[in-house]
Amino acid sequence: LRPQEAGEQGATTSSRSVAPASVAAPKERAAISGTGLTMLGLIRTQALHAALDAVVEDVDPWDLVAALLLALGGKNVTVHTPEREPYGQMSRQEIALAALFPEGVLIRDPALLRQEAVSVLKNVANCTISQHSGSGVTAQLMGLLFDADAQMPNMAFDDFLKCFSKPGIMEAGKALNLLPRNTGKEMRNAIMAHVGAEGRWVPEQAGFGSAAEGWKAKLDAMVRKAERLAALSADHDGHDEEEGEFDHLRPVEEELYGTGLEGADEAETTSAETADAAEVAAPEGRDDETAELKDALLEQAGAVLASDDAGPDARAAVKAHLDSHLEVVRIAA
């Protein structure tokens, strides 16, 4: 059943009649198939990479900044920030792209580019200690690049100094040429008094200077890991080569045993083996009539199994093969 449409208001139908079902129009076939779209995506990717290679030496820095913002806004990039936007709201990257590409073409305003690029960097790069949203050493390298040490505030306040262990706070006081104190609290008070309310003190481990060494250590670890993986891959390849040392013999085996019709060499071998088996297994007083009957049966079976154009050697091979099976059955019986 379906509701009456406007054109059917005047039509009268009985209470028991069923309205004719509407037939949906056949869906039109897409201009390009899914396989074609996949191929098109690969072609576009190659063209994009070629275009980037063509401008790599003299690309405009602000074009590059805009391209980096576009890359951050791609579907294949996931950015975890300390504070997530509420569900359904635009992310800071999307806001920047909407401002820079309102009509699909980059607005070449250096001030706007700087503003949006810095806003996105502030939203993405952070030095928080988090496995999921922290940027890690790369944000500290960015701090070195933009001299973030000069922006560090005075760290000589009680809440921060309480985070030091007693040996750590004593070492911090020693770096300020302060005399040793009996307790950590006394050393904290001495540091705050020495620096003063208007002074500025940043311990070495709190700055960005350690980022360079941390980055070098990370690169070394990456290189060692790559070398281990390369060594394992080489060992695996060598093992595969050892396993395939005798692969060249497989075609010979297939040639001998892979077909239903054996060759002349196998006929000779099978005949010899059959003869040996017959000599061992056959009784001395074997009836000649029985032997003649068996030969006649083998001849008829060979004629049936062998093709019409098979040569004498092929027929002999079939007969010898059947004879060997017959001997196995006889011995088993």
Side-chain angles (χ1 to χ4, degrees), residues 34-50:
T35 303
L37 292 177
T38 301
M39 186 182 302
L40 181 58
L42 294 175
I43 295 173
R44 284 174 175 168
T45 300
Q46 293 176 355
L48 173 61
H49 291 178

Side-chain angles (χ1 to χ4, degrees), residues 261 299-308 310 315 318-319 321-322:
L261 188 64
E299 286 287 349
Q300 294 178 2
V304 173
L305 294 177
S307 59
D308 295 338
R315 293 180 182 274
V318 172
K319 181 179 178 182
H321 190 70
L322 293 173

Side-chain angles (χ1 to χ4, degrees), residues 143-285:
L144 284 178
L145 177 64
F146 296 110
D147 192 20
D149 279 322
Q151 306 298 326
M152 290 288 290
N154 179 28
M155 307 293 291
F157 57 93
D158 194 54
D159 287 340
F160 176 71
L161 294 177
K162 284 181 179 179
C163 298
F164 282 84
S165 64
K166 183 177 180 180
I169 197 67
M170 295 299 176
E171 191 68 24
K174 182 179 179 180
L176 292 173
N177 298 321
L178 298 177
L179 295 176
R181 298 298 196 271
N182 294 327
T183 63
K185 182 177 181 180
E186 292 180 0
M187 181 57 78
R188 292 198 302 269
N189 292 333
I191 291 175
M192 288 187 290
H194 176 78
V195 175
E198 302 297 329
R200 179 175 174 273
W201 172 75
V202 179
E204 182 180 359
Q205 56 267 47
F208 290 85
S210 61
E213 293 300 325
W215 178 247
K216 292 178 182 178
K218 183 176 181 178
L219 290 180
D220 292 340
M222 292 169 61
V223 170
R224 289 195 299 271
K225 182 178 180 180
E227 291 175 350
R228 289 197 299 269
L229 291 176
L232 290 174
S233 178
D235 293 341
H236 181 71
D237 293 342
H239 184 64
D240 289 344
E241 291 178 0
E242 292 178 0
E243 288 184 348
E245 182 178 357
F246 300 101
D247 286 349
H248 63 285
L249 299 179
R250 291 178 181 174
V252 178
E253 296 175 357
E254 293 175 359
E255 182 179 353
L256 292 176
Y257 307 111
T259 60
L261 188 64
E262 289 80 1
D265 294 341
E266 184 176 354
E268 296 175 0
T269 305
T270 308
S271 300
E273 292 177 351
T274 304
D276 294 339
E279 291 175 1
V280 175
E284 295 180 358

